[in-house]
Amino acid sequence: MTSVNFKTTATVTLEIPQITSPPTELSSVPRIAKNEIRTSLKASTLDAVFATIFSLTTGGILLSNFLVELDASPVVFGMLSSIPMVVNLIQPLGAYISERTTSRFQYSIQTHGLGRLLWLILVLGIAGWQWGGVTSHQLVVLTLSIVLFSHLLGGLGSASWLSWLAMIVPQKLRGRYFGIRNSAASLTNLLCLPLAGLAISHWQGGTLQGYGVVLLIGIIFGIIGLGCQYFKVDVNPQLQNTVCNYPVQDEFSSELICSSNSIPAQNQLFSSIWKNTNFLIFLLYFSFWMFAVNLSAPFFTLYMLDTLNLDISWVSLYSSLQAGANLLMLILWGKLADKIGNRPILIFVGILVAVTPLLWFEISTNHLGLWLWLPLLHILTGGTWAAIDLCTNNMQLEIVPIKNQSIYFAIAAAMAGAGGALGTTLGSLLAQFTNCGGFLGLFALSGLLRLVALVPMIFLRE
């Protein structure tokens, strides 16, 4: 592993060979070698590929189908979706701890590594169910417990990991690089999800046993993904926090090492956050947007598997089409974001995402619905969400200062997680215990609130 004593301050100004560096250097801090930057970005992309395989086996359609086979209730699905968002409330604590370490890499291995290994317990639980020692209810409880603790550990490390990646990726190439990185992840999802769905549905020992085998394979790939992080340039968080932002030109920013007497006291951190109006507007948008989206998002898969009674192979196929559209559009959105900015894309595409839930009203299981409308709906979803995910991430990187960067990321994730968890919880309760039109009524309400959530974006400065 390459480790530097905050040579990473130059990563914001250093570009790939096609882009020239600024003529005037404002810092005497040595630059990271270009080959180290390239190696780090390649390693990060490989990490995304292997992490995608792990994620699709421990969540999404495959885990949802596993719980459907165990006759889980809508409330369980609401909990399944809300837990990853609720645990984001622990991210500020994780960021606080990470800022007192000396290695982003070691902290990532300790948090994400243990979180991924916990899923081995579910593999043992599925084996116990096959042998008759574990009931279906116990297996559901075990699944939710593993989801909780694995995401808690992931929440402790997420902000530190994002800050690490933000320091490595050159600022002018963020849209393009994250577009390529996310495209690689989408391609992996496109190829692997249908194969996993077919393997589970045609497994001789039954779908539950098949899921256990697929889950074990996903865990192995998840550990390999963490190994790829060894080849990324390491960052010392304590040295990173000695950096101040000095915007120089529209084309780039330069950073200087602060003298010790110019570093703000730690107790002034939250005061500076409170005075950062732009960041507060972003928090308002992000948290309410996550609430509106997750009011319905977890239940589209359940609607197909339960209400429409589709086989998992059909649902996996549609999700692959969604991943394919995501793959094709990511690079386009990334280049466009580098040219016109992230804010206009978020507003325009956000309107399309708000209208999408209403299109489910016309979906049925006839031949036209199975072969035309459902594929087109998932293609639209994949293409629009490629823009939302990419530009939201880029926007966050743009408006957050480098000093105490992971704490800003953690606060944003905590607020978004709280909003998303509240939306998921409320959505599951409305779907199961009220007469508001079932899932379709929930989809309509979510679409309306998504439009409202876009209002703060009008006032956000990029």
Side-chain angles (χ1 to χ4, degrees), residues 26 39 48 66 92-93 110 134 147 228 313-314 320-321 342 400 406:
L26 297 181
T39 300
F66 173 70
L93 174 61
Q110 292 168 2
V134 178
V147 170
C228 294
S313 59
W314 279 101
S320 297
L321 291 175
N342 301 285
V400 169
S406 66

Side-chain angles (χ1 to χ4, degrees), residues 68 72 74 301-310 439:
V68 168
T301 299
L302 181 59
Y303 182 73
M304 289 186 289
L305 291 171
D306 189 17
T307 304
L308 298 181
N309 199 28
L310 296 179
F439 287 125

Side-chain angles (χ1 to χ4, degrees), residues 8 59 62 81 135 137 144 219 222 239 251 261 277 319 382 399 418 420 452:
T8 47
L62 300 184
S81 300
T135 66
H137 176 70
L144 292 178
I219 295 170
L239 294 180
E251 290 79 10
N261 58 4
T277 305
S319 295
I399 66 176
V452 176

Side-chain angles (χ1 to χ4, degrees), residues 213-245:
V213 175
V214 170
L215 175 60
L216 180 60
I217 296 173
I219 295 170
I220 295 173
F221 279 111
I223 300 302
I224 295 175
L226 289 177
C228 294
Q229 297 185 8
Y230 175 82
F231 300 97
K232 293 164 58 176
V233 175
D234 201 4
V235 172
N236 185 333
Q238 297 187 31
L239 294 180
Q240 177 182 341
N241 289 333
T242 64
V243 174
C244 293
N245 275 341

